[in-house]
Amino acid sequence: MSEIKDSQISEKDLIQGCIRGDRTAQRRLYDRYAPTMLALCSRYTGSRDTAQDVLIEGFLTIFDKIGTYRAQGSFEGWMRRIFINESLMYIRKNDVLRYADEIENVPETGLGFESHGVVEKMNADQLMELIMEMPVGFRSIFNLYVIEGYSHQEIAEALGITEGSSRSQLSRGRVWLQERIKKL
Amino acid sequence: MTEKEFDELLRSKVSGCTREAGEDLWSRLDAGLARRKRARVIRRSFAAVAAAAACLAVGLVLSDRSDDPAVQENTFAKAEVTETEVMPIREQIRSVEDRLAKASTPARASMPAKIATAPKEELSETGNTQELHEDRTIGTDTEEIISETAPQTVKKEDVAEPVQNIDWAALAREDEKEASRRSPLLALASNLTSNAAGDGFMAELGPSHASSQSGLHPEAGLPVPVDQPEYYMPLSFGAQIKIPLGKRLYAGIGASYSYIVSKYAALSNGVLYPETYSQLHYVGIPVNLQYNFIENRSFDAYASVGAMADKCLNARYVYGNNVQNSSVEGLQYSASAGVGVEYWMTRNVGIYLDPSIVWYFNNTTHPQPLSIRTAEPLQARFEAGLRFRFK
């Protein structure tokens, strides 16, 4: 590695380097974004090992497709979409059947939740662990809606389900999470 | 606490969360990048070879068509024969037709089918002097027969049999086909080689781990391997001429290029480089003998034995930000044996597949650089390509 600090290299230069296939630029991009993206993949896949596999596939896709990035939105946002897609592809390939079963076992109507203070006291890692423990169907929709801010229509299109199903599963996901928090 | 508040609280706490991505993850990603780069090189090489082969195939097919007697006849007719030249011949044909009309019906029936049934236009429009000459001769013979036997019936076998029983054109085609089998062949090929004794046949282009590290450890100043190397599948392509020696025996000689990559942790000047790549460029001359044990019109199956001498033109070592090139003395010798099949899509263009087993000999006088060939001398090779036959 050269003496230049990572923070001194602009994102634009990093992108140009990656487009050229410069391994040093690729490494710097990885160093800059891998921790955030690994956390993202962990939230979706629920497993650190799987998240690592997805992270590698995601970066390979990014280095392949980085020439198509048009700088019309934030680069981090563009990367996040790729990692979310990679995570969802993994889930679709591996958890489709389990996904359907789990939905039936949780009531749709929510419980009253007044423990605002409990959530306030929990740190990010504890919440991450809880989200990772969620059943995969709830987890995907919860992540897409609550954390990423996607609409139910976008989620329905992405997962190939109806909007009603997306709303229903989000509601059940919240209930599942609140019950787990109550027990802490 | 509303659902919205709950969501906001979670988002604010979780969205900035990170997880440590260790060095081992980067190593896996780095290996994946190298694998994809190699796959791209292979795809482009195959595309280049395929494009070259396609151009050669089109050229040969077009050349083959221009050699076709039918095409030549038409060309000859349109280019050489004028209406003035054709007129006397038409007169003669008309004369023969008139005489035949006067002769008995059985005599006409016994004529060679070509004259009896050919449309008038076909006879008059053909410009082939040779063919017309044959027609004229037949017509003259018929005329003599008519004059001798009319109004009696001419015996069919007296006239028609000798002409109808021998298909001279078919015989000529067979001769030509037989001769073309004896023509030299050009093969354009690409092959993938896998270590048969190590990990077995690799399903992907990724690295394999061999059990040994025999071979030259680089000279002073160059990185020295300190762990188990990963060997990537070698990429080779080349061309070969096959010369017929006998009815089913061919001898081949050609030129081949191979690109061999290995990766290992290495020490250079006391510094450990966990990822060192050695990239070897070999050029070789393969020779072989091939015996066709099945030889059909469009399909051949054969067994072959061969040998090859490879010269390493350049050994390149990449470690950290360093790149070092090194020359290599001596040759890498190998022997091979295998079977193969080829299918001739046209008379001159065929595709083939040659699976074989290769043994790479250890050059004790001039040890070759560490590679899959030195580490695992027994290799399985799958060669595929196009063959072109030259007349």
Side-chain angles (χ1 to χ4, degrees):
Chain A
M1 289 286 168
S2 67
E3 296 299 317
I4 304 169
K5 284 182 181 175
D6 182 57
S7 57
Q8 291 177 289
I9 301 171
S10 73
E11 192 172 80
K12 192 177 173 186
D13 289 340
L14 269 187
I15 294 168
Q16 288 303 318
C18 291
I19 289 172
R20 288 194 305 271
D22 176 8
R23 196 55 64 87
T24 308
Q26 290 173 337
R27 175 64 195 260
R28 286 185 190 281
L29 191 80
Y30 169 85
D31 287 342
R32 188 176 288 187
Y33 291 107
T36 308
M37 298 308 160
L38 184 59
L40 181 149
C41 296
S42 300
R43 273 196 285 113
Y44 278 88
T45 60
S47 148
R48 184 173 168 82
D49 288 343
T50 306
Q52 289 183 346
D53 293 342
V54 173
L55 182 84
I56 288 169
E57 283 304 312
F59 268 112
L60 287 173
T61 305
I62 282 164
F63 292 144
D64 262 357
K65 309 285 183 192
I66 197 165
T68 66
Y69 171 61
R70 293 285 170 256
Q72 287 167 349
S74 84
F75 181 64
E76 186 174 347
W78 181 77
M79 289 182 73
R80 286 178 80 92
R81 280 196 297 279
I82 289 177
F83 282 106
I84 291 169
N85 279 341
E86 290 289 339
S87 302
L88 294 178
M89 277 168 57
Y90 175 85
I91 290 164
R92 273 201 292 265
K93 269 195 289 188
N94 296 280
D95 285 302
V96 175
L97 293 176
R98 195 154 63 92
Y99 182 101
D101 288 342
E102 289 161 349
I103 293 166
E104 303 305 321
N105 299 330
V106 178
E108 189 172 342
T109 48
L111 302 170
F113 190 72
E114 301 302 330
S115 306
H116 186 272
V118 180
V119 182
E120 281 284 8
K121 285 176 189 168
M122 290 176 73
N123 62 33
D125 285 338
Q126 286 174 313
L127 283 171
M128 272 285 290
E129 291 302 318
L130 273 183
I131 293 172
M132 287 172 69
E133 286 173 16
M134 285 176 89
V136 64
F138 303 156
R139 191 172 62 231
S140 301
I141 290 165
F142 188 85
N143 272 309
L144 288 168
Y145 187 89
V146 176
I147 313 295
E148 314 298 343
Y150 283 88
S151 69
H152 283 297
Q153 187 185 352
E154 289 168 322
I155 293 169
E157 283 172 11
L159 298 180
I161 57 175
T162 63
E163 283 185 51
S165 179
S166 174
R167 284 196 179 87
S168 162
Q169 287 167 45
L170 175 66
S171 175
R172 285 171 172 155
R174 279 203 191 98
V175 171
W176 185 95
L177 198 58
Q178 287 168 2
E179 283 188 332
R180 292 299 299 266
I181 292 171
K182 270 183 176 178
K183 290 175 187 173
L184 289 176
Chain B
M1 185 182 196
T2 64
E3 284 182 345
K4 196 173 178 183
E5 288 169 341
F6 178 71
D7 291 352
E8 287 290 340
L9 188 58
L10 274 176
R11 186 185 298 127
S12 64
K13 281 184 170 280
V14 169
S15 58
C17 201
T18 59
R19 284 283 184 272
E20 188 186 350
E23 187 66 29
D24 59 321
L25 261 182
W26 169 254
S27 299
R28 286 169 60 191
L29 176 58
D30 193 32
L33 286 168
R35 197 160 50 237
R36 287 201 176 188
K37 189 176 178 182
R38 269 178 50 77
R40 266 198 303 275
V41 169
I42 288 171
R43 275 200 304 272
R44 285 174 187 167
S45 303
F46 270 109
V49 170
C55 290
L56 197 49
V58 169
L60 278 170
V61 168
L62 291 177
S63 140
D64 193 33
R65 279 173 59 82
S66 66
D67 290 344
D68 190 329
V71 176
Q72 281 189 342
E73 280 167 16
N74 283 337
T75 311
F76 176 75
K78 285 174 185 166
E80 303 290 338
V81 181
T82 64
E83 185 66 19
T84 319
E85 289 168 324
V86 172
M87 280 302 288
I89 301 167
R90 281 184 178 161
E91 287 297 326
Q92 289 174 1
I93 293 168
R94 205 167 292 128
S95 164
V96 171
E97 286 177 339
D98 289 344
R99 290 184 195 189
L100 287 171
K102 290 173 189 171
S104 65
T105 306
R108 186 177 175 84
S110 68
M111 285 171 54
K114 194 169 186 178
I115 288 183
T117 58
K120 199 171 184 176
E121 292 76 13
E122 189 179 311
L123 288 171
S124 60
E125 280 181 15
T126 179
N128 189 316
T129 313
Q130 180 64 36
E131 191 176 325
L132 286 172
H133 177 71
E134 283 177 15
D135 291 345
R136 186 182 167 196
T137 307
I138 293 165
T140 308
D141 294 344
T142 311
E143 185 184 349
E144 288 165 6
I145 293 163
I146 291 166
S147 65
E148 287 169 8
T149 59
Q152 296 167 349
T153 303
V154 179
K155 288 180 183 175
K156 190 178 175 182
E157 57 271 18
D158 290 343
V159 179
E161 280 300 309
V163 180
Q164 287 181 343
N165 279 356
I166 303 170
D167 187 347
W168 295 104
L171 285 176
R173 281 197 299 273
E174 284 301 317
D175 284 348
E176 194 180 351
K177 205 176 290 173
E178 192 58 31
S180 73
R181 279 205 173 279
R182 307 278 81 76
S183 304
L185 307 174
L186 170 68
L188 291 181
S190 183
N191 67 59
L192 296 174
T193 315
S194 169
N195 56 316
D199 290 347
F201 302 105
M202 283 181 287
E204 56 177 322
L205 300 171
S208 70
H209 299 267
S211 55
S212 61
Q213 288 190 30
S214 63
L216 175 69
H217 286 204
E219 62 204 52
L222 290 173
V224 178
V226 293
D227 75 346
Q228 189 72 16
E230 292 178 349
Y231 299 107
Y232 291 80
M233 189 182 285
L235 167 68
S236 299
F237 51 86
Q240 195 174 50
I241 292 282
K242 286 196 181 293
I243 302 156
L245 296 180
K247 188 169 168 56
R248 288 167 179 264
L249 192 64
Y250 292 82
I253 186 165
S256 167
Y257 165 79
S258 300
Y259 177 59
I260 304 169
V261 178
S262 310
K263 178 187 166 191
Y264 41 77
L267 274 174
S268 178
N269 297 323
V271 179
L272 175 67
Y273 293 92
E275 290 176 7
T276 300
Y277 290 90
S278 96
Q279 300 163 341
L280 309 177
H281 300 269
Y282 275 97
V283 171
I285 297 178
V287 291
N288 64 23
L289 276 176
Q290 174 185 315
Y291 180 77
N292 288 10
F293 53 82
I294 296 175
E295 207 170 62
N296 288 332
R297 183 179 169 190
S298 56
F299 174 79
D300 297 330
Y302 49 83
S304 66
V305 291
M308 184 153 83
D310 275 294
K311 170 70 180 170
C312 183
L313 296 182
N314 180 251
R316 188 166 183 259
Y317 299 93
V318 181
Y319 52 104
N321 290 326
N322 309 302
V323 176
Q324 278 189 268
N325 292 292
S326 171
S327 59
V328 179
E329 291 187 357
L331 298 170
Q332 170 82 68
Y333 298 101
S334 62
S336 64
V339 291
V341 289
E342 64 188 349
Y343 173 73
W344 291 97
M345 296 178 289
T346 73
R347 191 171 58 178
N348 291 337
V349 182
I351 53 175
Y352 74 97
L353 176 67
D354 282 3
S356 59
I357 296 291
V358 190
W359 179 267
Y360 290 94
F361 296 100
N362 183 19
N363 187 337
T364 50
T365 315
H366 298 290
Q368 295 300 293
L370 175 66
S371 74
I372 186 70
R373 291 179 174 179
T374 59
E376 292 292 347
L378 182 62
Q379 305 272 314
R381 182 169 63 197
F382 295 91
E383 182 175 313
L386 289 174
R387 282 213 172 100
F388 305 96
R389 181 182 277 143
F390 295 100
K391 284 186 279 188

